[in-house]
Amino acid sequence: MTLRSALARIGGNEDLNFLLTNRIPRRFTTRLMGRIAPIEQPLIRKASLALWQLFCDVDLSDAADSRFRSLHHAFTRALKPGSRVPDPDPQVLASPSDAIVGACGRVEDGKLVQVKGMDYALADLLGDETLGAPYRDGMFVTLRLTAAMYHRFHAPHDLTVEEVRYISGDTWNVNPIALKRVERLFCRNERAPIRVRLERGGHEMLLVPVAAILVAGIRFTFADVGPHIREGGTRAIPLPGPVRMRKGEEMGWFEHGSTIILFAPDGFTLADGIETGVQIRAGQALMRLPS
């Protein structure tokens, strides 16, 4: 048995996986990762990159760089031009990231599915009834970014960023094993709701990046969050004003794998083929706008 197959067997044991990735000092481990990942010292760089590639099935063939200064550089890698071209159909809302589709469908009177048989309240996720009001009966898609995936996220349509909030929280693992065991998990973890308005139709939408264990930060291209988004606690993130972005334009990145939950108001529909378990790339059709 190879080391990779042995690790896969351990990862496939749900109880052991949950124990190893959650019953540890989550915040301390996450802060530690935040310190180790940017180190460019050659021995540490090589060791950390080797461990990452051992534990994760990483594909770097479309990365813009062939050599990486640090683990952080590899996690947050840019891609070769043309690697993630957004769907040009103006009626299509594109996926903001590479991801595995988790729960998806309709928000039912302000509640949505975490996993089958377990739901949570939109107001708990956002910390605000008013912010969630346009989506109480709308559509949602949960997009899970694994540790091996491309970690940047992009504008799903031509839009204006109108508001960003940061909500302080925990760093539970967001894999399916943890989602089945921890109620309201997304409402417990730190997250940053981004309210946007589409140019087409003026529809409001929400993107909610959710951090997880080992996610040492959420960064934005359109807002300065300082050295670290966690500094300052729960707060509104100041913007220079309404920020216009084109479909496919980079909005930010995770400094490890995590989750984005996207909300659209009533009238939007899921694109063909979007269902739980499907793997999708940034730019592919995720929803369709109202006719």
Side-chain angles (χ1 to χ4, degrees):
M1 180 186 296
T2 66
L3 179 56
R4 183 183 287 274
S5 62
L7 291 171
R9 179 172 291 186
I10 291 172
N13 182 308
E14 292 198 0
D15 291 334
L16 186 56
N17 181 297
F18 184 77
L19 177 67
L20 292 175
T21 61
N22 290 285
R23 298 307 185 190
I24 58 176
R26 292 183 298 274
R27 297 189 195 192
F28 170 79
T29 304
T30 299
R31 287 195 296 270
L32 182 63
M33 173 62 80
R35 292 180 179 274
I36 292 173
I39 294 175
E40 298 183 9
Q41 198 277 338
L43 289 177
I44 294 176
R45 181 191 71 228
K46 289 178 182 178
S48 58
L49 284 169
L51 283 172
W52 176 49
Q53 292 178 300
L54 176 65
F55 280 92
C56 305
D57 186 16
V58 182
D59 179 8
L60 299 174
S61 61
D62 56 3
D65 298 306
S66 57
R67 295 177 61 85
F68 301 100
R69 300 185 304 274
S70 64
L71 181 61
H72 174 271
H73 183 202
F75 275 153
T76 61
R77 62 193 179 275
L79 299 184
K80 296 172 183 175
S83 296
R84 300 292 187 275
V85 177
D87 190 308
D89 186 343
Q91 283 298 112
V92 162
L93 191 76
S95 175
S97 67
D98 288 12
I100 297 171
V101 177
C104 58
R106 185 165 295 281
V107 181
E108 300 284 354
D109 193 26
K111 291 193 174 182
L112 60 153
V113 174
Q114 177 170 293
V115 294
K116 188 175 181 179
M118 189 184 297
D119 59 17
Y120 61 98
L122 178 58
D124 287 347
L125 176 72
L126 304 177
D128 187 325
E129 288 272 5
T130 303
L131 185 60
Y135 319 103
R136 285 188 57 84
D137 296 293
M139 299 295 293
F140 80 98
V141 178
T142 302
L143 299 168
R144 182 170 69 90
L145 291 73
T146 70
M149 287 179 174
Y150 169 63
H151 294 99
R152 302 190 183 204
F153 54 95
H154 301 255
H157 212 285
D158 296 341
L159 54 79
T160 300
V161 179
E162 296 187 337
E163 180 183 11
V164 183
R165 304 181 187 187
Y166 171 73
I167 302 172
S168 182
D170 209 326
T171 55
W172 289 94
N173 196 329
V174 292
N175 67 9
I177 293 168
L179 291 173
K180 289 192 296 185
R181 286 166 166 74
V182 182
E183 293 185 359
R184 301 173 54 256
L185 190 154
F186 296 129
C187 305
R188 300 169 185 261
N189 276 15
E190 65 175 44
R191 51 213 184 271
I194 306 168
R195 183 169 60 84
V196 305
R197 188 175 301 277
L198 304 190
E199 288 190 8
R200 190 175 182 86
H203 304 287
E204 271 196 24
M205 290 191 58
L206 273 179
L207 290 85
V208 186
V210 182
I213 191 163
L214 304 184
V215 178
I218 302 171
R219 309 293 296 191
F220 304 112
T221 59
F222 53 82
D224 182 5
V225 297
H228 206 292
I229 195 170
R230 293 187 179 99
E231 295 179 3
T234 298
R235 65 196 184 282
I237 302 292
L239 298 175
V243 181
R244 296 184 66 188
M245 308 192 82
R246 295 287 126 204
K247 191 176 191 178
E249 187 174 344
E250 186 179 312
M251 298 185 76
W253 63 91
F254 291 107
E255 297 182 346
H256 198 66
S258 196
T259 294
I260 297 174
I261 310 173
L262 187 145
F263 294 93
D266 188 27
F268 282 69
T269 55
L270 295 178
D272 292 343
I274 296 301
E275 58 185 32
T276 299
V278 167
Q279 189 161 334
I280 190 170
R281 282 186 158 196
Q284 287 183 233
L286 187 67
M287 290 188 187
R288 295 195 65 84
L289 278 66
S291 299

